[in-house]
Amino acid sequence: MLNVKWRPVAIIATLVLLIHFIVRSPYIEFQFSQTDDAKDALQAERENVIANDQAPANMKHPLPVTVTVTQDVGTPHTVTSIVKETVFVDSDSANEVLEKANAAFVVLTRNNDLKDLRETLVQLEDRFNRRYKYPYVFLNNEPFSDEFKEKIQGMVSGECQFGLIPEEHWSYPEYIDQTRAAEARKDMQDRKIIYGGSESYRHMCRYESGFFFRHPLMDQYKWYWRVEPGVKFACEIDYDPFLFMEHNNKKYGFTVSIKEYIETIPTLWNTTMDFMDKHKEMIPAANLMGFVTDKKGDYNRCHFWSNFEIGSLDFLRSDQYMAYFDHLDRAGGFFYERWGDAPVHSLGVSMFLNKNEVHWFEDIGYFHGPLWNCPKGDANKKCWCPEDQSVEIKYKTWSCTLDFVALENP
């Protein structure tokens, strides 16, 4: 029995240890960050959609458990590990010579994104790029400030290039009726459609759909990894995703896939079907159209969330994808509606690639408010994100990822 006079000391010591655990806990940090992110208008709108339309689902580990894989001890059991051919990094030595792909991070950003972007880059560098030192290409429709360039260059390990977007890539084509476009924005704003009244958002979606890979600074590269200010990377990435894509004949990689708001793309599917009807010779027999259609063949609104992409620039530069983008651009939906680059990229991927050429990076912990992609099982040991928050578990009926996993390979 503890002496009575020592009981207050023991109680105080216990409280100190408890407070220390709470402050240092990464889960508590996650909860705090979620509270801050909830203030963002985009997150609030999306959470409202989820609350009113998609009931959260309880679910066990979503990945196949019957696959037997030969792999090194300690390798996470994930979708990625099943086909991985790349070598894990065992050393952070400054003299280490690593095989690298011809690749770069690409970031569409503005000067006022500096704080959020630096927080993102600290995580990306720490989790991955401090070992590989891949370059960064930063693009802006306005000149970058000296402060922006100095503070970014001072914190990343790879070479930094800062590019100004050509005016013709961030303006109205001559065939767009700007009066009609303005009326469409007003109508969508009145109907409270997310970003419905934003003109700059439409220019951004059009640029990401058909122009970023044509910027002169991107000409020298074969692979890109898209990064946005404010996103989070929660896991140690101890292999090279670029080389994984290259060695395994992948063309497009994603972390999150969900259903698009139909109010933003009411004619996108019909416009896409019109393109397919006119260019049947471009559509390979082995494609991924099962990802974007239901059992009846109707559009299911599924798309890869393009704020995270690792992909082949050769694919985006291909005659097929460029023909598709030009067809959409002429139709005017980027301005008369609010077509996003995510469904556009996803429809292009689904038409021209097959499942073996597309990859879910289940083992990359990634957050873009309000959604997580978080590894499960052994892979989560190198992460600070809670796996039950991963979108394909928490919002099963809104997510399309497990539908992608279930598709048959060609």
Side-chain angles (χ1 to χ4, degrees), residues 220-341:
Q220 62 184 299
Y221 301 113
K222 293 178 66 67
W223 299 93
Y224 74 98
W225 181 333
R226 179 169 162 181
V227 178
E228 290 197 357
V231 302
K232 300 176 183 179
F233 294 92
C235 306
E236 184 75 5
I237 305 172
D238 49 8
Y239 67 100
D240 186 338
F242 290 123
L243 287 179
F244 166 79
M245 298 284 286
E246 192 166 71
H247 289 179
N248 292 285
N249 194 32
K250 305 294 182 183
K251 304 288 181 60
Y252 188 85
F254 71 99
T255 53
V256 171
S257 67
I258 53 176
K259 295 181 176 71
E260 181 61 296
Y261 308 133
I262 193 63
E263 294 83 1
T264 67
I265 53 167
T267 67
L268 176 59
W269 177 242
N270 287 340
T271 308
T272 298
M273 287 195 296
D274 179 59
F275 171 83
M276 295 177 68
D277 186 58
K278 293 177 179 178
H279 299 280
K280 294 183 177 69
E281 75 285 355
M282 289 187 175
I283 315 300
N287 56 53
L288 196 57
M289 292 302 291
F291 175 70
V292 294
T293 55
D294 59 23
K295 293 180 180 179
K296 297 179 181 179
D298 296 326
Y299 186 41
N300 61 15
R301 301 179 288 129
C302 283
H303 66 280
F304 306 114
W305 223 18
S306 58
N307 46 72
F308 176 104
E309 294 179 320
I310 300 177
S312 164
L313 289 164
D314 288 342
F315 167 68
L316 294 178
R317 296 165 181 150
S318 68
D319 292 342
Q320 294 93 326
Y321 182 81
M322 285 306 306
Y324 175 57
F325 171 76
D326 290 341
H327 180 84
L328 296 184
D329 202 31
R330 284 281 174 177
F334 291 108
F335 299 109
Y336 302 146
E337 297 178 11
R338 207 228 66 193
W339 293 354
D341 51 282

Side-chain angles (χ1 to χ4, degrees), residues 133 165 177 205 228 276 332:
K133 299 177 175 55
I165 295 171
D177 181 341
C205 289
E228 290 197 357
M276 295 177 68

